[in-house]
């Protein structure tokens, strides 16, 4: 048996024996979800567990969240460091599942699987700590708060000195992916997830009697033209080879049949997959809105709130994780991930440190279950904990031993 196979078998058996304990932890976190930046109970739980298995907690970068270090014993001289990250916050949703471990917090639910991520990373920490004497480097465990709420928790941790204190050569993250069966992971090299920006548009006209539109400046008609004109951004500005989305998803103005209102407000989202196109789209949004408004005798303002950037999986580390996942799960366990137009603040770490974001299959192969992310019935298959712990442990190990 090769050295690598021996490590894999060791991880596999450790993962299997820890599984019941990690399921219990996941259910405990699930029962007590906490909103972004309020993850005090979860933070205490994570700290206690990590201290208990002998990890060092050296820094509290933010009020919630935990960063801990595992020192591997097996290499002398300059030691390599790999980062593993889980997000720990929940969503403002009322759970509709009927488990005995349902959320006891009214209107708060782990509907994005961050309870799974947290439990999986705790399990990974235990698996690797049990093998620390042979571990060919150090592992940094990043339990990050506030992924669900802008500006996120990643950038504040970086601002607070995460990468000034630690210099990992790679960082890996994992996310539940209910569109893929349990037991598999999906991986993609290059851009994986979109930059997501919020758009707020105000159209200022001049109100008046609806029977005499020539004496008013109608912001409703102008808003309709603006919405239509914005469609050319995706069809005529973005290259056909570049995915992009512009959606206007709210429109408010007027409240009577016979009054032209003074103002219309709209909001929406812009999703792009590369930072250059993102910038171009910002300029062209502004131009299109201004020119359309002016041509129709009204004024408009556009406010763009910058969201998370494009999530870019560095090719070298992504190939290393891909090989590790193949070695651990076999050929049928690894799939190429499609592009995702959702956004993730893991993207900020990848602006400073190469790495990869892995999608973890948590589906039961039945699309009827309604268990999409951010649904009140989101219900990941817990057996994915086995896959997640195994892949994270072995990816870290094989990166350090490369
Ligand atoms: Ni999430």
């Amino acid at each position: 048996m090769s050295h690598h196979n021996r490590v894999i078998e060791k991880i596999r058996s450790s993962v299997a024996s820890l599984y019941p304990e990690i399921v219990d932890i996941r259910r405990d976190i699930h029962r007590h979800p906490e909103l972004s930046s309020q993850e005090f109970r979860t933070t205490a739980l994570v700290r206690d567990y990590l201290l208990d298995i002998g990890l060092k907690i050296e820094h509290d970068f933010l009020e919630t969240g935990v960063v801990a270090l595992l020192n591997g014993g097996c290499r002398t001289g300059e030691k390599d460091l790999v980062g593993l990250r889980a997000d720990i916050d929940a969503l403002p949703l009322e759970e509709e599942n009927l488990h005995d471990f349902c959320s006891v917090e009214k209107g708060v639910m782990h509907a994005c699987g961050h309870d799974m991520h947290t439990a999986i990373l705790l399990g990974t920490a235990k698996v690797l700590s049990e093998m620390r004497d042979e571990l060919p480097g150090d592992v940094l465990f990043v339990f990050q708060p506030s992924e669900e709420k802008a500006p996120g928790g990643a950038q504040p941790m970086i601002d607070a000195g995460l990468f000034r204190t630690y210099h990992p050569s790679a960082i890996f993250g994992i996310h539940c992916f209910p569109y893929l069966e349990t037991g598999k992971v999906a991986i993609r090299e290059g851009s994986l997830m979109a930059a997501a920006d919020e758009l707020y548009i105000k159209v200022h006209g001049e109100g008046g009697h609806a029977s005499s539109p020539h004496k008013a400046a109608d912001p409703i008609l102008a808003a309709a033209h603006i919405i239509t004109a914005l469609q050319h951004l995706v069809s005529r500005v973005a290259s056909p080879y570049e995915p992009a989305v512009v959606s206007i998803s709210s429109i408010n103005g007027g409240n009577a049949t016979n009054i032209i209102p003074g103002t219309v407000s709209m909001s929406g989202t812009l999703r792009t997959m590369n930072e250059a196109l993102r910038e171009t789209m910002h300029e062209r949004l502004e131009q299109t809105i201004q020119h359309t408004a002016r041509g129709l005798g009204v004024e408009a303002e556009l406010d763009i709130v910058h969201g998370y950037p494009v999530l870019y999986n560095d090719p070298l580390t992504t190939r290393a994780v891909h090989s590790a996942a193949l070695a651990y799960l076999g050929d049928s366990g690894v799939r190429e991930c499609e592009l995702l137009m959702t956004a993730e603040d893991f993207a900020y770490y990848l602006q400073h440190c190469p790495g990869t974001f892995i999608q973890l299959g948590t589906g039961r192969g039945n699309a009827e279950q309604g268990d999409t992310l951010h649904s009140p019935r989101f219900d990941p298959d817990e057996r994915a904990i086995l896959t997640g712990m195994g892949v994270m442990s072995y990816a870290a190990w094989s990166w350090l031993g490369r």
Side-chain angles (χ1 to χ4, degrees), residues 31-61:
R31 204 175 282 128
H32 303 281
E34 295 171 300
L35 291 175
S36 307
S37 300
Q38 296 167 35
E39 311 93 337
F40 295 102
R41 182 186 185 276
T42 312
T43 295
L45 182 153
V46 168
R47 274 185 87 93
D48 290 349
Y49 190 87
L50 295 176
L51 287 171
D52 205 45
I53 60 174
L55 266 64
K56 275 193 277 181
I57 295 168
E58 295 172 355
H59 290 271
D60 286 321
F61 289 94

Short mmCIF file of all heavy atoms in Angstrom, two decimals, residues 31-61:
data_model
loop_
_atom_site.label_atom_id
_atom_site.label_comp_id
_atom_site.label_asym_id
_atom_site.label_seq_id
_atom_site.Cartn_x
_atom_site.Cartn_y
_atom_site.Cartn_z
N ARG A 31 -30.13 23.42 15.65
CA ARG A 31 -31.20 23.75 16.60
C ARG A 31 -31.05 25.19 17.11
O ARG A 31 -32.03 25.83 17.48
CB ARG A 31 -31.12 22.76 17.77
CG ARG A 31 -32.41 22.57 18.52
CD ARG A 31 -32.28 21.48 19.59
NE ARG A 31 -32.34 20.15 19.02
CZ ARG A 31 -31.43 19.19 19.24
NH1 ARG A 31 -30.39 19.41 20.01
NH2 ARG A 31 -31.56 18.00 18.69
N HIS A 32 -29.84 25.69 17.14
CA HIS A 32 -29.59 27.02 17.70
C HIS A 32 -28.91 27.94 16.67
O HIS A 32 -27.76 28.36 16.88
CB HIS A 32 -28.71 26.91 18.95
CG HIS A 32 -29.29 26.03 20.01
ND1 HIS A 32 -30.30 26.46 20.85
CD2 HIS A 32 -29.04 24.74 20.33
CE1 HIS A 32 -30.63 25.46 21.67
NE2 HIS A 32 -29.89 24.41 21.38
N PRO A 33 -29.61 28.27 15.59
CA PRO A 33 -28.99 29.11 14.56
C PRO A 33 -28.86 30.55 15.05
O PRO A 33 -29.65 31.00 15.89
CB PRO A 33 -30.00 29.03 13.41
CG PRO A 33 -31.32 28.82 14.10
CD PRO A 33 -31.02 27.98 15.31
N GLU A 34 -27.85 31.25 14.53
CA GLU A 34 -27.65 32.65 14.91
C GLU A 34 -27.42 33.48 13.67
O GLU A 34 -26.73 33.06 12.74
CB GLU A 34 -26.45 32.76 15.86
CG GLU A 34 -26.69 32.06 17.18
CD GLU A 34 -25.44 31.96 18.04
OE1 GLU A 34 -24.45 31.36 17.59
OE2 GLU A 34 -25.45 32.49 19.16
N LEU A 35 -27.99 34.69 13.67
CA LEU A 35 -27.86 35.57 12.52
C LEU A 35 -26.43 36.12 12.40
O LEU A 35 -25.65 36.05 13.37
CB LEU A 35 -28.86 36.73 12.63
CG LEU A 35 -30.33 36.32 12.46
CD1 LEU A 35 -31.25 37.52 12.72
CD2 LEU A 35 -30.61 35.76 11.06
N SER A 36 -26.15 36.68 11.25
CA SER A 36 -24.82 37.19 10.93
C SER A 36 -24.31 38.15 12.00
O SER A 36 -25.04 39.06 12.42
CB SER A 36 -24.87 37.91 9.58
OG SER A 36 -25.43 37.06 8.61
N SER A 37 -23.07 37.96 12.42
CA SER A 37 -22.38 38.76 13.44
C SER A 37 -22.95 38.58 14.84
O SER A 37 -22.54 39.27 15.77
CB SER A 37 -22.38 40.26 13.09
OG SER A 37 -21.72 40.44 11.87
N GLN A 38 -23.91 37.68 15.01
CA GLN A 38 -24.44 37.42 16.36
C GLN A 38 -24.18 35.98 16.76
O GLN A 38 -24.87 35.41 17.61
CB GLN A 38 -25.95 37.70 16.38
CG GLN A 38 -26.29 39.16 16.12
CD GLN A 38 -27.78 39.36 15.83
OE1 GLN A 38 -28.63 38.68 16.40
NE2 GLN A 38 -28.08 40.28 14.93
N GLU A 39 -23.16 35.37 16.17
CA GLU A 39 -22.94 33.93 16.35
C GLU A 39 -22.16 33.66 17.63
O GLU A 39 -21.12 33.00 17.62
CB GLU A 39 -22.16 33.35 15.14
CG GLU A 39 -22.70 33.70 13.77
CD GLU A 39 -22.04 34.95 13.18
OE1 GLU A 39 -21.52 35.76 13.98
OE2 GLU A 39 -22.07 35.13 11.96
N PHE A 40 -22.67 34.12 18.77
CA PHE A 40 -21.91 33.99 20.02
C PHE A 40 -21.92 32.56 20.56
O PHE A 40 -20.89 32.04 21.00
CB PHE A 40 -22.46 34.98 21.08
CG PHE A 40 -22.24 36.41 20.66
CD1 PHE A 40 -23.28 37.17 20.14
CD2 PHE A 40 -20.98 36.99 20.76
CE1 PHE A 40 -23.07 38.49 19.73
CE2 PHE A 40 -20.76 38.30 20.35
CZ PHE A 40 -21.81 39.05 19.83
N ARG A 41 -23.09 31.93 20.52
CA ARG A 41 -23.17 30.55 21.03
C ARG A 41 -22.33 29.63 20.14
O ARG A 41 -21.58 28.78 20.63
CB ARG A 41 -24.63 30.08 21.03
CG ARG A 41 -24.82 28.68 21.58
CD ARG A 41 -26.27 28.20 21.44
NE ARG A 41 -26.45 26.91 22.08
CZ ARG A 41 -26.18 25.75 21.52
NH1 ARG A 41 -25.69 25.70 20.28
NH2 ARG A 41 -26.40 24.62 22.17
N THR A 42 -22.48 29.80 18.81
CA THR A 42 -21.74 28.96 17.87
C THR A 42 -20.23 29.16 18.07
O THR A 42 -19.46 28.19 18.06
CB THR A 42 -22.14 29.31 16.43
OG1 THR A 42 -23.57 29.36 16.36
CG2 THR A 42 -21.63 28.28 15.43
N THR A 43 -19.83 30.42 18.26
CA THR A 43 -18.41 30.71 18.48
C THR A 43 -17.90 29.99 19.72
O THR A 43 -16.82 29.37 19.69
CB THR A 43 -18.22 32.24 18.62
OG1 THR A 43 -18.56 32.84 17.38
CG2 THR A 43 -16.78 32.60 18.97
N ALA A 44 -18.67 30.01 20.79
CA ALA A 44 -18.26 29.34 22.04
C ALA A 44 -18.15 27.84 21.83
O ALA A 44 -17.19 27.20 22.28
CB ALA A 44 -19.25 29.66 23.15
N LEU A 45 -19.13 27.28 21.11
CA LEU A 45 -19.13 25.84 20.83
C LEU A 45 -17.87 25.45 20.05
O LEU A 45 -17.18 24.47 20.37
CB LEU A 45 -20.40 25.50 20.06
CG LEU A 45 -20.71 24.06 19.65
CD1 LEU A 45 -22.22 23.87 19.53
CD2 LEU A 45 -20.04 23.66 18.35
N VAL A 46 -17.56 26.24 19.01
CA VAL A 46 -16.40 25.95 18.16
C VAL A 46 -15.10 26.06 18.99
O VAL A 46 -14.24 25.19 18.95
CB VAL A 46 -16.37 26.91 16.94
CG1 VAL A 46 -15.02 26.85 16.21
CG2 VAL A 46 -17.51 26.59 15.98
N ARG A 47 -14.99 27.14 19.74
CA ARG A 47 -13.79 27.35 20.59
C ARG A 47 -13.56 26.19 21.54
O ARG A 47 -12.46 25.67 21.64
CB ARG A 47 -14.00 28.60 21.47
CG ARG A 47 -13.63 29.90 20.86
CD ARG A 47 -13.80 30.99 21.92
NE ARG A 47 -12.56 31.10 22.68
CZ ARG A 47 -11.59 31.96 22.37
NH1 ARG A 47 -11.71 32.76 21.34
NH2 ARG A 47 -10.50 32.00 23.09
N ASP A 48 -14.64 25.80 22.25
CA ASP A 48 -14.53 24.74 23.25
C ASP A 48 -14.07 23.44 22.60
O ASP A 48 -13.21 22.74 23.12
CB ASP A 48 -15.87 24.50 23.96
CG ASP A 48 -16.23 25.68 24.87
OD1 ASP A 48 -15.33 26.54 25.08
OD2 ASP A 48 -17.38 25.75 25.33
N TYR A 49 -14.65 23.13 21.44
CA TYR A 49 -14.31 21.89 20.76
C TYR A 49 -12.84 21.89 20.34
O TYR A 49 -12.11 20.92 20.55
CB TYR A 49 -15.22 21.69 19.54
CG TYR A 49 -15.11 20.34 18.92
CD1 TYR A 49 -15.88 19.27 19.37
CD2 TYR A 49 -14.21 20.09 17.88
CE1 TYR A 49 -15.77 18.01 18.80
CE2 TYR A 49 -14.09 18.83 17.30
CZ TYR A 49 -14.88 17.79 17.76
OH TYR A 49 -14.76 16.55 17.19
N LEU A 50 -12.40 23.02 19.76
CA LEU A 50 -11.03 23.09 19.24
C LEU A 50 -10.01 23.06 20.38
O LEU A 50 -8.98 22.40 20.28
CB LEU A 50 -10.85 24.36 18.40
CG LEU A 50 -11.68 24.41 17.11
CD1 LEU A 50 -11.50 25.76 16.42
CD2 LEU A 50 -11.29 23.28 16.15
N LEU A 51 -10.32 23.75 21.47
CA LEU A 51 -9.42 23.73 22.63
C LEU A 51 -9.32 22.31 23.18
O LEU A 51 -8.24 21.84 23.54
CB LEU A 51 -9.91 24.70 23.71
CG LEU A 51 -9.72 26.19 23.38
CD1 LEU A 51 -10.44 27.06 24.40
CD2 LEU A 51 -8.23 26.55 23.31
N ASP A 52 -10.48 21.66 23.21
CA ASP A 52 -10.56 20.31 23.72
C ASP A 52 -9.68 19.32 22.95
O ASP A 52 -9.12 18.39 23.53
CB ASP A 52 -12.03 19.87 23.64
CG ASP A 52 -12.34 18.81 24.64
OD1 ASP A 52 -11.91 18.96 25.79
OD2 ASP A 52 -13.00 17.81 24.26
N ILE A 53 -9.56 19.54 21.63
CA ILE A 53 -8.73 18.60 20.85
C ILE A 53 -7.30 19.13 20.70
O ILE A 53 -6.51 18.62 19.91
CB ILE A 53 -9.35 18.29 19.46
CG1 ILE A 53 -9.51 19.56 18.62
CG2 ILE A 53 -10.67 17.58 19.62
CD1 ILE A 53 -9.98 19.29 17.20
N GLY A 54 -6.98 20.20 21.43
CA GLY A 54 -5.58 20.61 21.53
C GLY A 54 -5.11 21.62 20.49
O GLY A 54 -3.91 21.75 20.26
N LEU A 55 -6.05 22.33 19.86
CA LEU A 55 -5.63 23.36 18.92
C LEU A 55 -5.33 24.66 19.65
O LEU A 55 -5.84 24.90 20.74
CB LEU A 55 -6.71 23.60 17.85
CG LEU A 55 -6.50 22.79 16.56
CD1 LEU A 55 -6.59 21.32 16.84
CD2 LEU A 55 -7.50 23.20 15.50
N LYS A 56 -4.52 25.51 18.99
CA LYS A 56 -4.19 26.80 19.58
C LYS A 56 -5.10 27.86 18.99
O LYS A 56 -5.24 27.97 17.78
CB LYS A 56 -2.73 27.17 19.23
CG LYS A 56 -1.74 26.57 20.20
CD LYS A 56 -0.37 27.21 20.00
CE LYS A 56 0.33 26.52 18.84
NZ LYS A 56 1.66 26.99 18.52
N ILE A 57 -5.73 28.64 19.88
CA ILE A 57 -6.53 29.76 19.40
C ILE A 57 -5.77 31.02 19.78
O ILE A 57 -5.63 31.35 20.95
CB ILE A 57 -7.94 29.73 20.01
CG1 ILE A 57 -8.66 28.48 19.49
CG2 ILE A 57 -8.72 30.99 19.62
CD1 ILE A 57 -9.93 28.15 20.18
N GLU A 58 -5.19 31.68 18.78
CA GLU A 58 -4.26 32.77 19.05
C GLU A 58 -4.87 34.14 18.86
O GLU A 58 -4.43 35.11 19.44
CB GLU A 58 -3.03 32.63 18.15
CG GLU A 58 -2.23 31.38 18.47
CD GLU A 58 -1.14 31.12 17.46
OE1 GLU A 58 -1.07 31.87 16.47
OE2 GLU A 58 -0.37 30.19 17.66
N HIS A 59 -5.85 34.23 17.99
CA HIS A 59 -6.39 35.54 17.64
C HIS A 59 -7.90 35.49 17.56
O HIS A 59 -8.47 34.52 17.09
CB HIS A 59 -5.87 35.99 16.28
CG HIS A 59 -4.43 36.34 16.29
ND1 HIS A 59 -3.97 37.59 16.57
CD2 HIS A 59 -3.35 35.58 16.06
CE1 HIS A 59 -2.66 37.60 16.51
NE2 HIS A 59 -2.25 36.39 16.21
N ASP A 60 -8.52 36.56 18.02
CA ASP A 60 -9.94 36.75 17.74
C ASP A 60 -9.99 37.95 16.82
O ASP A 60 -9.89 39.08 17.27
CB ASP A 60 -10.71 37.05 19.02
CG ASP A 60 -10.86 35.81 19.86
OD1 ASP A 60 -11.09 34.74 19.27
OD2 ASP A 60 -10.76 35.90 21.09
N PHE A 61 -10.09 37.71 15.55
CA PHE A 61 -10.06 38.83 14.61
C PHE A 61 -11.32 39.67 14.70
O PHE A 61 -11.29 40.87 14.55
CB PHE A 61 -9.83 38.32 13.19
CG PHE A 61 -8.44 37.79 13.00
CD1 PHE A 61 -8.16 36.45 13.15
CD2 PHE A 61 -7.42 38.66 12.69
CE1 PHE A 61 -6.87 35.97 13.00
CE2 PHE A 61 -6.12 38.21 12.54
CZ PHE A 61 -5.85 36.85 12.70
#
